[in-house]
Amino acid sequence: LREPAERTASEHRDKSDQPRGRRWTGDAPLRTTAAAAHGALLRCGAPALYTACAACAAFGGAAGAAGAAGGAACNGSALEVPPVLWQSWYHLFLPRWIETLRGRVAVAFSDELFGDAAALLARLGAFLQLPPRAYNTSLAYNTALRRGLAGDAAVPAAAAREEHERRAAQAAAGRPLLLRLHELTAHSVVETDALLRRDHRAGVPAGWLRRAAEAEARTAKARGSYRR
């Protein structure tokens, strides 16, 4: 799983220029889409966002309950939630996978690839019952620097890590949009962490929870001002 706010921004950037990408991103710029969703978050809370996501309701469980609550709280409010937003509300989709496949689901985080990639690959290899081997983690594929999985698409892992950090710093410089995306995914981050821990798994990375807590504090403060 990738950090949801970063994933949203990246997916919108990558897909908005593609001929069929608007089906995924919607027609509006991400800043506009996020602003509309953020308004619903302040007015009605996260359930309103899940209500506006038709695909989410199909998964039942948390999504269905959220839909019922959101519909009651925000009756009549028009909001479009394109896939680029709802794709990273992991807590709505993971239950179906975990309940159906039980021990046959491994959950990993992209943060681990930028931390100890060798340890992550060893863990996944053991899960898949593959013979132990020393994977080459000095190269990275399908990165922001070069897309693709072919040999000529590989870049040094250190360069990929530096580019990831550079883009994160660049995103932080455009803080209004990034902070808004964190606020739109904070509830899901907390719920995803709880879901994984209930299933006796490691929770989400500590950095996700820290940013989610900061985002929820900003949202609570903004909702108080909004209501006054």
Side-chain angles (χ1 to χ4, degrees), residues 83-121:
V84 74
L85 282 184
W86 58 250
Q87 65 171 354
S88 297
W89 292 334
Y90 301 127
H91 76 291
L92 299 183
F93 310 111
L94 277 176
R96 177 74 62 88
W97 290 90
I98 291 175
E99 291 164 9
T100 302
L101 299 176
R102 298 310 308 164
R104 291 178 291 160
V105 175
V107 178
F109 302 94
S110 59
D111 301 53
E112 296 174 86
L113 289 172
F114 291 103
D116 191 343
L120 171 61
L121 292 174

Side-chain angles (χ1 to χ4, degrees), residues 36-46 48-49 180 183-184 219 223:
H38 189 258
L41 178 69
L42 295 183
R43 292 194 306 273
C44 317
L49 303 179
R180 188 158 281 174
E183 290 165 27
L184 291 172
T219 299
R223 291 189 78 180

Side-chain angles (χ1 to χ4, degrees), residues 140-142 146-154:
Y141 295 83
N142 202 36
R146 193 170 301 166
R147 296 296 182 187
L149 297 175
D152 61 357

Side-chain angles (χ1 to χ4, degrees), residues 7 11-12 20 25 51 60-61 71 76 82 96 100 117 126 128 131 146 156 162 190 200 204 222:
R7 185 183 184 210
E11 285 284 294
H12 194 281
R20 307 174 100 181
T25 64
T51 301
R96 177 74 62 88
T100 302
L128 295 170
R146 193 170 301 166
E162 289 174 4
V190 174
H200 308 291
V204 304

